[in-house]
Amino acid sequence: MNIKPDSIARNYWLALSALFGVTVSVVSMTDPPWSLIMVAAFIVFAVLQAIRYRQLGREIQGKLATANPGVGAVAAVFGGAAVLIHGTPVAFWAGPVLGLVTFVGIYLFLRRYGRFHEGAASN
């Protein structure tokens, strides 16, 4: 079974984007401690994903598989929107919609601008 490097990168970005979308949705709809637990779970998942796809290691030290500071800005916009709608009457339906928009937006951004270290992941 020969997997193309492009599909490996796509799977990596897809999983990270999906969980980030779920995290934004949960943060917008729930009160602590559940929102904090979800943020912590996302961080643990992101680290485990990076280890699984060999995006962390000595050979790529200082060059994490990210999409430059732009992904932080895009993620901050979605995270800020989740905080703004938290506790409002529309949070119950707007949270899942925001999570879906976050998933699609982050995924498309990462597919276009994301850096994935293929040599490290194909071993």
Side-chain angles (χ1 to χ4, degrees):
M1 186 166 147
N2 191 6
I3 300 174
K4 294 180 182 179
D6 186 48
S7 66
I8 293 171
R10 184 179 61 242
N11 291 343
Y12 180 70
W13 298 133
L14 188 65
L16 289 177
S17 300
L19 192 60
F20 187 66
V22 170
T23 300
V24 165
S25 181
V26 169
V27 166
S28 66
M29 295 177 5
T30 62
D31 292 324
W34 292 109
S35 56
L36 298 175
I37 290 169
M38 192 64 201
V39 170
F42 172 74
I43 292 169
V44 169
F45 179 79
V47 169
L48 292 175
Q49 274 289 92
I51 291 169
R52 180 179 185 271
Y53 285 98
R54 297 190 178 126
Q55 299 300 297
L56 292 175
R58 273 182 252 166
E59 65 276 3
I60 56 173
Q61 188 173 358
K63 300 181 244 170
L64 291 178
T66 62
N68 66 38
V71 75
V74 172
V77 168
F78 290 120
V83 170
L84 287 175
I85 67 169
H86 177 78
T88 64
V90 299
F92 189 69
W93 65 265
V97 171
L98 179 62
L100 181 62
V101 170
T102 300
F103 162 63
V104 172
I106 293 290
Y107 177 72
L108 292 175
F109 188 89
L110 289 173
R111 285 288 294 159
R112 180 165 179 125
Y113 300 109
R115 290 183 302 230
F116 186 81
H117 303 287
E118 294 173 11
S122 62
N123 293 337

